[in-house]
Amino acid sequence: MKKKVLLMGNHDTGSGKTSMRSIIFSNNLASATSRFGATIDVEMNHVRFLGSLVLNLWDCGGQETFLDSYLASQRNTIFRDVGVLIYVFDVETRDFERDISYYIECLDACRKNSPEADIFVLIHKMDLVTGGKRERTRAFELKKRELDKYSGSTPIKMFGTSIWDETLYKAWSRIVHTLIPNAPLLSSHLTSFAKICSAIEIVLFERTTFLIIARSGTSTGDLDDVIPPEAGPDSDPNVINPERFEKVSQLIKAFKVSCSRMQEQFHSMEIRFPNYTAVLELMTTNTYVMAIVADPNVQTATLRLNIRLARERFEELQAGSAG
Amino acid sequence: MRPRQMRPSTRPEPDPPRVPSAKSLAGSKDPHRRKILVLGLRRAGKTAIQEVVFHGMSPRDTFFIEPTFRVSKEDVNTIIPLQLWDCPGGMPVENLDVLLDAFSTLVFVIDIQDEYSHAISKLVHLMAMVYTVHPLINIEVFVHKAESMSEDYKIDNFRQLQERVYDETIDHPLPLENLQITFHLTSVYDHTIYEAWSRVIQKLIPPLAALENLLNVLCSNSGLSKAFLFDIKTLTHVAADESPPDATTYGLCCEYIQTLLQFSNLYKYPQSSRTHQPLPPPQLTSTHTPSSSIPARKGTQPLSIPNSKTSRPPPANSTHSSAPSTLSNTSVDLDPADSRVWSTSSVRLKPQTTLAYWEITNQLSLVALIRSETYEASQGLIDYNVTFFRKAIHRIVDIEKAKWPSGD
């Protein structure tokens, strides 16, 4: 199955489209992206995701001359058969008005040519907002409210992102999640698998990108389902960090890059902390599974054995998921 | 291989080699803290280094650090108590309110991108001053901001700078070449700054030889190819085994610990549900059944893994079978280290290495590289040996702590 993914946004200075693409799909570290030059015209990439799903990434250069030509002469080629449109804004933009006018035009072109397309908006470079989390949330809300006015009848999912933290993984896993047709089925299987393992939580990641595909504990397959409301730091020891999946994605991805410097490849990991045990292991050829267990009597070896036994079933499920 | 008793528990602690004389410390408030003076020209990166290593600041944020205007003192507790003195750039040392001989170490930071002749003349001037009052001080030169240059170019610059300093000391009327000076090429953007601090701090740790010896014994008995004892708060390693160090390995171990530390905050469950585990370490169940008829000789014998090349069976008194009975032996003293659940972790890499992590004390952790086949075949045994290593480290730490005044 092939899906066309458009990465767009208008910026003369570079809003970071190529950087985020390379971090998610090419195992680059955030610090390595400063070397990237501007994208000229459109760079096309085929990325294999979950084995049989091919993402056809169109990384569209953001300079105005290019945008003008996308909207005029190339309009049909660019905006036809789009599966996902990802429109990127720079949070610190100098000319928001102009950004919006291009955004409206792109949105319009996309809806006319590919009415089925899912549309996402990323407010990028959130790390440039000075202050803490509250300031960033406020800056994001401000932009979101502004953009909602122009987004038309259908609601558009928006994320504040930065290549320097887990927000990038959050946004991208929500994006690819829309491309996995049987996510609810995977979730329900993970939920029963978690029961078998006495695990608190079992999460499935895609192997190369480490984006979350599914997790236990949700009935609908929606990743944001039943996440406990965010509390103040350390207010309640039982609150699970709501950003944990993205954090794991980010941590393991960065660690994988470090391992490759040793001429070795990351393969599996197990951790026994005083308060929980985690096992991260290959599930199928294209996925990693992470099991979190709080019961101290559950041994990592048992978890590994269970994972090995579940492997065949999940291979079958996943073959169905990528169709 | 004959099992040996872990030595440091019985060995008297060697005297710290270079304690500043009591007289010179009389004026300062914390005589037990080893003092490190950080100097350098303006904007060399002195404060940034300390923020990154000792406060975990993200290297990217160091760009926004305000210049330091007054001397700031900061207490750092690693395996020994330290005190860092961060000085404003270009401040003459004469302005310090204590004498130079109060310091154990002098860290001099030079920005590699700068026209460094001024920095060098400042350094040599400083060396001349130090020579007259405290010739035994450790002088550590951080050639900093190495990330700004390409690999070859920075090595060239580093070498050139060292030669320049050496030439100047030769030309100096005082025999400055007798001072102990070490150069480090550092950057806050990678592990080199942690490596440099490790070397600086290691020179101040009195029981370093004991720690290294312990690591060597552990490595040879457990088939580890490299082991570091890390201070997890500062990511410096307080000791390593004697196998040749290599920067990539150290860097990977650093990142491993960082990853684990961040992982530990992701899920929070009340620890009360997982407190005392009466069972022996679970991995031991994979060894043979205990033969209770053989009493263990002492509770302090690490077991050795038979060398895979010679495949010699281990001596009778250290067979696998005696392991569980040793643990259940009531003569083993019940120190708190036994009842606590210590974090452990392992990462399997392909094709052949396993990274393993053991929490040793609240502040120290052991990170080792092991061949995966060794780890898989004798994980229980290695874990078992580590419990002895942990006990020995706890003893050393307790001895060191006893030297600190109460309240630390």
Side-chain angles (χ1 to χ4, degrees), chain A residues 3-4 76 78-83 113-114:
Chain A
K3 283 267 185 181
K4 178 167 164 186
N76 283 332
I78 298 269
F79 291 99
R80 205 177 45 212
D81 303 322
V82 175
N113 288 284
S114 325

Side-chain angles (χ1 to χ4, degrees), chain A residues 164 200-201 234 237-238 240-241 244 248 258 262 264-265 267-270 272 274-277 294 299, chain B residues 60 252 255-256 260 263-264 266-270 274 282 343-353:
Chain A
W164 300 101
I200 318 168
E201 185 158 79
D234 302 325
N238 285 311
I240 303 180
N241 188 336
R244 60 197 181 281
V248 171
S258 320
M262 280 259 302
E264 298 247 6
Q265 298 302 314
H267 184 251
S268 66
M269 175 165 177
E270 56 178 65
R272 287 181 69 90
N275 47 357
Y276 72 90
T277 305
Q299 296 303 314
Chain B
R60 289 188 322 122
L252 182 61
E255 268 160 80
Y256 183 29
L260 286 177
F263 231 102
S264 67
L266 294 183
Y267 289 84
K268 287 177 182 160
Y269 292 96
R274 306 187 45 145
S343 303
T344 59
S345 166
S346 66
V347 172
R348 171 85 202 262
L349 305 180
K350 284 251 159 131
Q352 53 174 11
T353 313

Side-chain angles (χ1 to χ4, degrees), chain B residues 77-90:
Chain B
N77 292 331
T78 139
I79 196 165
I80 51 158
L82 299 172
Q83 190 170 66
L84 295 176
W85 290 49
D86 187 15
C87 296

